[in-house]
Amino acid sequence: MGRKLLFDKAHIEGIRYYDVYRANGGYGSAEKALKSMSPEQVLDEVKKSGLRGRGGAGFPTGMKWSFIAKPEGVPRYLVCNADESEPGTFKDRYLMEFIPHLLIEGLLISSYTLGCNSCYIYIRGEYAWIPDILEEAIADAKKNGWLGKNIQGTGFDLEIYVQRGAGAYICGEETALIESLEGKRGNPRIKPPFPAVKGLWDCPTVVNNVETLATVVPILRIGGEEYAKYGTGKSTGTKLISACGNINKPGVYEIEMNISVEEFIYSDEYCGGIPNGKRLKACIPGGSSVPILPANLLLKTAKGEPRMMTYESLSDGGFATGTMLGSGGFIVLDEDQCIVKNTLTFARFYHHESCGQCSPCREGTGWMKRVLLNIENGKGKMSDIDLLWDIQRKIEGNTICPLGDAAAWPVAAAIRHFRDEFEWHVLHPEEATKRNYGLAHYADPLEIAAPAAV
Amino acid sequence: MAEEKKLFKVKIDNISVEVEPGTTILNAARQIGGDIVPPAMCYYSKLKGSGGKCRTCLVKVSKGSDADPRPMPKLVASCRTTVMDGMEVANITSPEVLEARKGVVEFLLLNHPLDCPVCDQAGECHLQDLSYEHGADSTRYEFKRRTFDRVDIGDKIQLHMTRCILCYRCVFTADQLTEKREHGVLGRGEAAEIGTYIQQSLDNNFIGNVIDVCPVGALTDKTFRFKNRVWFLKPVDAHRECSDPKCCGKVALWMRGDEVFRVTARKDKYGEVEEWICDTCRFDKKEVKDWVIEGPRKVERQSVISQGHYVGVHKPKDTLVEVLDGRQPKLLLDIHNISEVNKPTVDLSKINGPAHSDDFNKK
Ligand SMILES: Cc1cc2nc3c(=O)[nH]c(=O)nc-3n(C[C@H](O)[C@H](O)[C@H](O)COP(=O)(O)O)c2cc1C
Ligand code: SF4
Ligand code: SF4
Ligand code: FES
């Protein structure tokens, strides 16, 4: 059994409620931090832990926290990113739903460390029932003196507010999230300035993922050094992985970052293998935006070593032979899955979710989607494959925020590793048309809605 | 003695310039001037917070600074990236930049109709210039284009959303210049559009400035639309005592003979408004007597407008004669002698149907 730090008490009946959480050692880390440690000491523990942000980019959390500007008389804010809209990623949802106090305790410790007196949880609109769970937990924590004024007599004040998003993927991007929180259109800001200097209401702000903030609790419980002994190399600790696709046991797993991808897919403790004895074709290990890897590159790195569930191992060799751990949305595809259809599905998503601020993403995502739709429906040309490659190349790296990259990478990787499947669609239009994957009736909304007037 | 301000040395396309800290790469390039100035479709120096969106001004930073000489990993938007001391930037000398820009032009033209012959912005359109300078001669896009129904947004301004490239300039203008925010961007992604709040009309005494900032023909002046092509008009500097304290009263009148066809703010060589004008000056003062004429306006942009430019006109030397060592060119057909159409005595309406070569052969 892998060691667990976040879900270690998840099985306890009623852990969602304050009394049970507290009776099982809950708020112990907060007590330790607030009563016996200075903010600098907490920061030091987080740095020692080697914790990397769990929202996707994997930036070291301790370093991110140390960047926060501290001008006199200006409030600082902590924002918890609970927008979780990356297709394939659904780990934060379980954490908030089943152990909400773990997040609240994490927010308390983190706010204390950063010197924030207000903290916001920005939660995805579609998680309609979770804000109520969080509000209830916040009220209970407050009743028991863990929030509000003069927390546990330490002189530290903190309020946590829950803000529901309207359901836009782009609002998970930290600066778009801040805009949305300010009541504006969720358009990413142009950086610099970074949120650490000018964030929410132009004040220094840290935006962290739910899992990142919750992880601060076990780090303080066992100490940064001990935490760093979990996992391996530059990937310390444990990570929540939401596994889905063609596996026997979809779900959210807490893994210690020292297991191999093969073990994760095939062992009974985790995904339990692929249904009906089918073969593994490919996997998107970090949420829909990360490059897809074919089976031969997925289980072994370019050097022939076993591929591990770590930041370094998954990205080994760059995008030519590797991918990213991303947010941990692990999507497995068996031999029956169509890569073109899969790529089209994601392309539709990114096209729909582009905020429309910058030209390459606004125009390019729709173009890629339409070309893919043609290929998938047996109306593609050979030159369309090169065209797709060229479009993604002109989007990647040229946009304001990484949504443009997120739209480009899956297309690039699919063509790089599965070009023959694209060619098959072009060469066998009739067979391609016959395979009804439920998309046959999907028409481009633009085709339907285009009004006559020019 | 006041302490001397340290200036930052920057090299753009191998040309050095010293600029104040905080200057953007684009503005540093503008200080040098000429071809190395990156194009800008969304940045507008007079509008706070503008820029960064269209991605036409992308450049390559091949050296970050003297302190940290590493190149920047990606192309950056020069309008929003400030210079560092010792920075080296490649604009037109970088094939990567030109390639990326060609891509941006192609993206912008996917959903921007190339109806320049009928568009009222022809001759003043930045996208037209941009695609001429950086685009490809054809598009690879073969799908239906995004179109919009026409929306009435008031009696003075025409919004033609189909032509909009979502540069946000008009939004910033409305936000920063007028008393109330009346319009903005609705919808997202490709479906994003400029719209007014529940189809209100734009009627604010400064809202006319959105017409001047629009880089394409999406926002046009209803009092001028289709009355003339800009290159047939003479731009003339003029001013009046305007009672609105926010209005500078200094304008360009676009005239033909004594008729004032259009009033706009004066623009600098980057096509940016120098000082804002109010709607009264723009829409209601269309008589010569309303204005004190200062003199002809210098048209700086290399635009088609300069074709009709009449300041300092001098007849070019008859180069053909020069090349032919003084011999006159031999005319194969002198239309002036052959065609009666050119004779003032001929009544054109008497010629049957559209003019045909046979008509000229009758002699
Ligand atoms: C388009 C887009 C969507 C994102 N969505 C999320 C999200 O839903 N949740 C999240 O934690 N981070 C998301 N991110 C990453 C955040 O911008 C940010 O990096 C993260 O919240 C930082 O937290 P961390 O340092 O704890 O990882 C997204 C980024 C982009 C570009
Ligand atoms: S990359 Fe896409 S989502 Fe990001 S700012 Fe540009 S248009 Fe918006
Ligand atoms: S209407 Fe013109 S100024 Fe406004 S966003 Fe569109 S292109 Fe820009
Ligand atoms: S002018 Fe710089 S991005 Fe538009």
Side-chain angles (χ1 to χ4, degrees), chain A residues 123-387:
Chain A
I123 185 160
R124 150 164 221 210
E126 292 90 335
Y127 286 171
W129 67 103
I130 299 180
D132 297 338
I133 297 173
L134 290 173
E135 301 267 16
E136 186 189 344
I138 289 168
D140 283 345
K142 196 164 180 171
K143 223 182 324 166
N144 288 284
W146 292 104
L147 289 174
K149 289 240 169 283
N150 191 18
I151 293 167
Q152 302 292 324
T154 59
F156 179 62
D157 308 335
L158 178 68
E159 294 293 345
I160 299 178
Y161 305 96
V162 181
Q163 176 66 44
R164 296 167 200 238
Y169 172 59
I170 191 58
C171 289
E173 195 280 335
E174 55 182 8
T175 56
L177 188 158
I178 289 171
E179 286 279 294
S180 172
L181 206 48
E182 289 180 0
K184 296 189 239 157
R185 203 183 140 79
N187 278 0
R189 290 180 183 172
I190 292 143
K191 295 188 261 188
F194 290 89
V197 180
K198 253 184 176 198
L200 190 58
W201 293 299
D202 280 352
C203 298
T205 303
V206 165
V207 181
N208 273 131
N209 173 257
V210 170
E211 185 190 345
T212 313
L213 292 163
T215 304
V216 175
V217 177
I219 288 176
L220 277 210
R221 187 170 66 233
I222 63 175
E225 257 166 50
E226 188 59 30
Y227 182 86
K229 288 183 193 154
Y230 285 64
T232 162
K234 286 190 180 137
S235 304
T236 59
T238 64
K239 170 90 188 82
L240 298 184
I241 305 284
S242 54
C244 60
N246 302 116
I247 46 174
N248 280 316
K249 290 167 44 190
V252 179
Y253 297 100
E254 182 174 7
I255 58 155
E256 192 179 336
M257 285 195 279
N258 63 0
I259 65 169
S260 69
V261 173
E262 190 164 5
E263 181 185 349
F264 185 69
I265 297 179
Y266 289 104
S267 83
D268 278 342
E269 191 181 344
Y270 304 110
C271 304
I274 296 169
N276 308 320
K278 292 255 162 73
R279 276 180 305 168
L280 172 70
K281 179 172 190 176
C283 172
I284 301 153
S288 68
S289 62
V290 313
I292 189 169
L293 271 192
N296 60 330
L297 287 173
L298 178 69
L299 303 181
K300 293 231 174 344
T301 63
K303 289 178 218 139
E305 290 161 358
R307 182 88 71 180
M308 308 297 285
M309 295 287 283
T310 62
Y311 291 94
E312 318 79 282
S313 182
L314 280 167
S315 60
D316 182 65
F319 287 171
T321 57
T323 174
M324 286 164 81
L325 178 60
S327 56
F330 199 87
I331 309 168
V332 178
L333 280 74
D334 73 17
E335 56 187 313
D336 290 347
Q337 302 311 312
C338 170
I339 299 295
V340 177
K341 179 214 142 193
N342 185 73
T343 313
L344 168 62
T345 305
F346 291 155
R348 279 172 61 201
F349 174 79
Y350 291 109
H351 171 232
H352 185 260
E353 297 299 324
S354 161
C355 84
Q357 253 193 128
C358 55
S359 355
C361 172
R362 182 184 61 239
E363 310 293 347
T365 49
W367 193 3
M368 290 199 298
K369 181 194 81 174
R370 293 188 182 101
V371 175
L372 279 162
L373 195 61
N374 267 358
I375 300 178
E376 162 70 8
N377 288 336
K379 292 188 214 144
K381 300 186 285 290
M382 262 320 166
S383 59
D384 282 345
I385 305 169
D386 293 329
L387 175 63

Side-chain angles (χ1 to χ4, degrees), chain B residues 158-218:
Chain B
Q158 173 71 51
L159 169 64
H160 215 317
M161 194 44 227
T162 301
R163 297 197 182 108
C164 171
I165 57 156
L166 284 159
C167 70
Y168 284 61
R169 280 183 185 175
C170 58
V171 179
F172 284 108
T173 305
D175 223 11
Q176 291 169 27
L177 239 59
T178 66
E179 256 97 71
K180 50 181 194 227
R181 166 84 179 267
E182 287 150 316
H183 82 312
V185 180
L186 315 173
R188 77 177 170 216
E190 211 182 54
E193 60 178 299
I194 294 291
T196 55
Y197 177 62
I198 322 186
Q199 304 213 341
Q200 275 184 349
S201 60
L202 299 180
D203 55 355
N204 190 302
N205 203 26
F206 271 81
I207 198 71
N209 288 294
V210 298
I211 300 167
D212 281 346
V213 302
C214 185
V216 292

Side-chain angles (χ1 to χ4, degrees), chain A residues 167-170 185 187-188 190-193 351-364 366-367 370-371 374 381 384 386-387 390-391 393-400 405 446-447 450-454, chain B residues 49-56 58 74-75 80 82 99-100 102-104 106-108 110-111 113 115 139-150 160 162 164-168 185-192:
Chain A
Y169 172 59
I170 191 58
R185 203 183 140 79
N187 278 0
I190 292 143
K191 295 188 261 188
H351 171 232
H352 185 260
E353 297 299 324
S354 161
C355 84
Q357 253 193 128
C358 55
S359 355
C361 172
R362 182 184 61 239
E363 310 293 347
W367 193 3
R370 293 188 182 101
V371 175
N374 267 358
K381 300 186 285 290
D384 282 345
D386 293 329
L387 175 63
D390 197 52
I391 302 172
R393 209 168 49 90
K394 289 204 160 112
I395 300 173
E396 201 236 310
N398 291 342
T399 52
I400 296 176
D405 301 338
L446 207 68
E447 300 280 325
V454 176
Chain B
S50 68
K53 300 188 195 298
C54 69
R55 318 305 283 178
T56 55
L58 292 173
K74 290 177 182 169
L75 302 184
R80 291 293 292 254
T82 49
E99 189 59 22
K102 199 161 129 192
V104 173
E106 191 174 23
F107 286 138
L108 285 174
L110 293 193
N111 281 309
D115 51 1
T139 176
R140 296 170 291 174
Y141 192 73
E142 7 177 85
F143 301 92
K144 213 173 241 175
R145 312 299 169 123
R146 174 180 62 213
T147 52
F148 292 88
D149 277 333
R150 229 177 267 182
H160 215 317
T162 301
C164 171
I165 57 156
L166 284 159
C167 70
Y168 284 61
V185 180
L186 315 173
R188 77 177 170 216
E190 211 182 54

